[in-house]
Amino acid sequence: MAEIENKVVEMDEVVIRFSGDSGDGMQLTGTLFSDTAAHTGNDLATFPDFPAEIRAPHNTVAGVSGFQVHFGSAKIHTSGDLCDVLIAMNPASLKANLRFAKKGSTIITDVDSFEEKAMEKAGYAANPLEDGSLSDYIVVKAPIRMLTREAVKELGLDAKSADKSKNMFTLGMLLFMFSKEMTYTHKFLEVKFKKNPTVVEANKRVLAAGFNYAETVEAIKSTVSKVPAAKMPKGKYRSITGNTATAWGLMAASEKSGRQLFLGSYPITPATEILMELSKHRNLGVKTFQAEDEIAGVTSAIGACFAGSLGITTTSGPGFSLKSEALGLAVITELPLVVVNVQRSGPSTGMPTKSEQGDLLQALYGRNGEAPMLIIAASSPVDCFYAAFETARFALEHMTPAILLTDGYIGFGSELFQIPKMDDLPAIVPPIAAPNSDYKPYRRDENTLARQWAIPGTEGLRHRIGGLEKTDVFGQVSTDAQNHEKMTYLRNEKVMRIAERLPEQEIFGEPEGDLLVVSWGGTRGFVRSAVEKLQKEGKKVGHAHFRYIMPLPKNTRQVLSAYKKVVVAELNAGQFVKYLRINFPEITFKEFNKVQGQPFTVIELTDKFNQLLQED
């Protein structure tokens, strides 16, 4: 490393996109590089982009798996638009991902994979490495397969086993290119494959071979870069995905409330990792139940709530639909169920591994009868921790079921997370009824309208709740018309009063101006980056990102009225804008929608906002 220090170019930020066939290990390679960047002090954001098929046909565009990482020396808001380095392990991955590469960027390919049949399956009539079509890029044609086999030949591995380490060769090249050490990857390999020393040694040799190869290639040596560490507050950090952060936030809420966490869930992409993470923590008192279907998952969680636990159920769009009837049960029984919906592209099975914001209207209105629920939307992988904690806190303290909306982009994506101290998180105090008190099932707190939580088996608290309408205060089964209307409005008002505890909606930028950009959920980073860019150009653009959906912050009307034009940007056909039009009919809303299973890019957002600024 010392030999090349004087040739290193310092960069503020870099975007790398890893792509290859589903079996090429690009998700692991991207994760290892990201973790190395995090360990060396870079801030980062990642975006895994993989096919829905379990094993798509080899060397086809449909089977390409991608992973993008954006790391830098300042705060990183997004996983990046176009990449500075593209890893393309086969012709199909080059075909699928060339559109994500900047002009002048470096493309690293495995030249050994560019065989005639593979190029034909990818849709190439001629070899793109030789026909001049890549003249706008720095192309590194590395014989990765050959050099990988060469590096492990002394270990006696067959060709198929040797080829499994190809991803380590590309990782070694990148570690050299960005002045990173191999130490972290060595530690990972030693832990991951501790029962198979040969695999550890093979991967280490291939990693070193890639590192050394990069040192000999002039095209790489001329682009070697170093991204300085970001300036961050002191603390303990780790790279964390949104799904893991959600699980941790729920566990933190369980500890702060003194309520045991119970998860009743059915596996579904892209939410399954929350179930997987929580199942690891039985030592913390977490109970997980992998149910036979979505309905069993949610009803078991409701049962856990009745028994006095923090009941959680996790799902995605199709499963969220199946839970609808049970969500109505949680509303009418007024139990603190937490529903996590990691949204994906739909409808129906849709595109399971792709991300959208298509379930907002379902979250707001997708139940029979009048069944209002608190709705909070997380904005980033790290925010999933805090949003999960807060959703559980409000559900427990207000005795109301609540929905946390995340999405596949932030659920699978990762960021650098400063792990908070438990003492710094607010206390959670559920309204638990005391033994032998003058308890009535629907007697309410005069401020919050929350009923008390009677834990079964507590002396003197025998009571009845269930799906049938009950009388106010006393909880007897009732079909009285006036009582039903009263209970309907009480349940709604209880949710709306949570707005008294919400912070006011903030505007990023001046309090008034020419264009206000409204967003919600996982689009925050891209929209904020686009708005920052326009603000630096002197344009009077503001950004209002909504975390609290139901109820909305109390000052929402004031915020939306402060700008001459308002545009709502969301990854659906216009769901949040419809909701805002219902609540604020006097305001004219523009909208910018994208329904492609992919996140926004900063470029397309700035183009749209500039267009709106120029319109009369």
Side-chain angles (χ1 to χ4, degrees):
M1 288 293 291
E3 181 184 338
I4 62 164
E5 282 297 323
N6 60 350
K7 300 177 183 177
V8 172
V9 176
E10 197 167 283
M11 298 179 71
D12 293 329
E13 57 182 340
V14 173
V15 178
I16 302 173
R17 190 170 183 90
F18 301 82
S19 64
D21 207 69
S22 289
D24 285 338
M26 291 296 96
Q27 303 299 321
L28 175 61
T29 310
T31 299
L32 287 173
F33 185 89
S34 302
D35 288 347
T36 300
H39 273 76
T40 54
N42 296 130
D43 196 21
L44 57 86
T46 71
F47 173 46
D49 186 15
F50 44 86
E53 294 86 348
I54 294 174
R55 181 64 69 190
H58 186 55
N59 281 325
T60 63
V61 172
V64 171
S65 179
F67 185 102
Q68 187 157 302
V69 55
H70 182 192
F71 66 103
S73 57
K75 178 62 183 174
I76 300 297
H77 294 303
T78 76
S79 57
D81 282 4
L82 302 180
C83 61
D84 302 286
V85 179
L86 172 63
I87 306 296
M89 294 294 286
N90 64 352
S93 59
L94 179 64
K95 184 84 169 179
N97 289 279
L98 185 61
R99 61 196 172 103
F100 297 115
K102 295 176 183 175
K103 299 296 182 182
S105 62
T106 299
I107 299 175
I108 297 175
T109 65
D110 179 8
V111 69
D112 294 335
S113 70
F114 280 72
E115 299 164 331
E116 188 173 343
K117 286 186 178 179
M119 288 187 287
E120 188 176 308
K121 288 179 75 173
Y124 283 113
N127 190 336
L129 304 183
E130 299 174 356
D131 65 3
S133 60
L134 302 178
S135 59
D136 290 332
Y137 307 92
I138 301 169
V139 182
V140 178
K141 307 171 189 176
I144 294 175
R145 183 169 60 196
M146 181 193 74
L147 293 176
T148 295
R149 293 177 180 178
E150 181 72 20
V152 300
K153 67 179 182 180
E154 295 179 0
L155 300 177
L157 298 177
D158 58 70
K160 185 176 180 180
S161 299
D163 288 349
K164 291 180 180 179
S165 299
K166 288 190 302 180
N167 59 329
M168 289 297 107
F169 193 95
T170 60
L171 179 58
M173 292 176 70
L174 287 167
L175 293 177
F176 175 84
M177 287 180 67
F178 294 100
S179 306
K180 304 290 186 187
E181 301 293 336
M182 292 183 280
T183 310
Y184 176 79
T185 305
H186 285 169
K187 290 179 180 177
F188 171 85
L189 294 170
E190 289 162 3
V191 173
K192 177 74 173 176
F193 302 109
K194 62 182 178 181
K195 295 182 179 179
N196 196 333
T198 302
V199 172
V200 174
E201 181 61 23
N203 279 284
K204 283 185 176 181
R205 289 189 181 197
V206 176
L207 184 73
F211 191 95
N212 295 332
Y213 175 79
E215 194 173 10
T216 68
V217 178
E218 288 300 323
I220 292 179
K221 290 178 72 175
S222 64
T223 58
V224 169
S225 305
K226 185 171 185 178
V227 181
K231 295 179 181 179
M232 299 179 188
K234 289 184 179 179
K236 186 178 289 187
Y237 290 84
R238 62 157 285 170
S239 177
I240 195 167
T241 66
N243 282 340
T244 298
T246 298
W248 285 23
L250 295 170
M251 287 191 291
S254 172
E255 181 174 333
K256 296 296 285 192
S257 66
R259 299 290 92 199
Q260 184 177 60
L261 192 157
F262 175 92
L263 174 72
S265 187
Y266 181 74
I268 183 172
T269 303
T272 305
E273 286 73 18
I274 303 173
L275 166 62
M276 293 167 62
E277 179 63 25
L278 287 173
S279 68
K280 299 175 184 177
H281 299 287
R282 294 179 185 175
N283 61 315
L284 298 178
V286 175
K287 289 187 176 180
T288 56
F289 168 52
Q290 181 174 320
E292 65 269 27
D293 56 36
E294 294 283 0
I295 298 171
V298 65
T299 51
S300 67
I302 292 172
C305 288
F306 174 73
S309 295
L310 170 56
I312 313 290
T313 189
T314 54
T315 191
S316 190
F320 193 48
S321 300
L322 291 168
K323 296 180 190 291
S324 293
E325 182 182 359
L327 298 187
L329 174 62
V331 170
I332 202 166
T333 55
E334 301 186 45
L335 288 168
L337 173 73
V338 174
V339 184
V340 182
N341 179 4
V342 188
Q343 299 167 96
R344 70 189 203 187
S345 296
S348 188
T349 312
M351 299 190 293
T353 61
K354 306 304 178 183
S355 184
E356 278 173 18
Q357 296 179 297
D359 297 346
L360 178 59
L361 293 180
Q362 183 181 195
L364 285 164
Y365 308 118
R367 293 168 291 283
N368 63 293
E370 300 288 340
M373 293 177 68
L374 169 72
I375 302 171
I376 293 178
S379 62
S380 69
V382 166
D383 187 51
C384 284
F385 174 89
Y386 295 101
F389 181 90
E390 194 169 29
T391 303
R393 181 188 178 198
F394 284 135
L396 288 166
E397 294 187 341
H398 291 260
M399 288 297 287
T400 183
I403 297 169
L404 172 62
L405 294 175
T406 73
D407 58 58
Y409 170 69
I410 59 175
F412 286 141
S414 64
E415 282 184 312
L416 203 58
F417 177 44
Q418 183 179 6
I419 302 172
K421 296 178 181 178
M422 286 300 295
D423 289 344
D424 294 337
L425 296 173
I428 299 176
V429 185
I432 297 175
N436 292 313
S437 58
D438 182 23
Y439 172 74
K440 298 292 185 293
Y442 291 98
R443 177 181 286 152
R444 302 175 184 277
D445 180 278
E446 62 180 17
N447 294 316
T448 66
L449 298 183
R451 73 176 189 88
Q452 287 190 310
W453 196 359
I455 309 303
T458 306
E459 189 69 30
L461 301 187
R462 185 178 297 177
H463 65 289
R464 175 190 290 160
I465 64 171
L468 293 172
E469 186 65 277
K470 306 295 190 297
T471 56
D472 186 28
V473 182
F474 298 100
Q476 298 166 340
V477 175
S478 172
T479 57
D480 179 76
Q482 297 301 318
N483 177 76
H484 171 57
E485 183 172 87
K486 181 179 182 180
M487 293 294 279
T488 297
Y489 284 120
L490 280 171
R491 288 188 288 263
N492 183 73
E493 179 62 18
K494 180 176 65 169
V495 175
M496 298 309 293
R497 285 195 186 184
I498 296 174
E500 299 296 326
R501 296 184 61 187
L502 302 181
E504 289 196 342
Q505 178 62 45
E506 296 181 348
I507 295 179
F508 174 73
E510 296 299 321
E512 57 185 29
D514 295 326
L515 179 65
L516 178 67
V517 182
V518 172
S519 60
W520 67 278
T523 61
R524 179 185 179 277
F526 289 96
V527 176
R528 177 61 54 85
S529 297
V531 169
E532 283 181 342
K533 185 176 180 181
L534 295 179
Q535 287 177 345
K536 288 177 182 177
E537 296 172 0
K539 293 167 183 174
K540 296 180 180 179
V541 180
H543 180 205
H545 184 81
F546 283 80
R547 191 168 191 259
Y548 306 102
I549 308 297
M550 177 67 177
L552 291 163
K554 291 190 297 181
N555 66 327
T556 299
R557 175 173 276 104
Q558 177 186 340
V559 166
L560 297 174
S561 303
Y563 278 69
K564 296 175 183 176
K565 296 178 182 177
V566 181
V567 59
V568 182
E570 49 186 329
L571 298 175
N572 55 45
Q575 297 191 19
F576 191 48
V577 74
K578 289 181 174 69
Y579 178 55
L580 292 176
R581 283 172 178 148
I582 290 170
N583 285 279
F584 311 103
E586 75 278 12
I587 297 174
T588 300
F589 294 96
K590 307 281 187 180
E591 53 187 285
F592 183 49
N593 309 114
K594 181 176 181 178
V595 196
Q596 300 174 16
Q598 294 289 329
F600 284 121
T601 65
V602 175
I603 293 172
E604 65 191 0
L605 288 167
T606 52
D607 286 348
K608 179 62 177 182
F609 301 158
N610 276 321
Q611 175 193 328
L612 291 170
L613 286 168
Q614 293 166 9
E615 292 176 355
D616 293 332

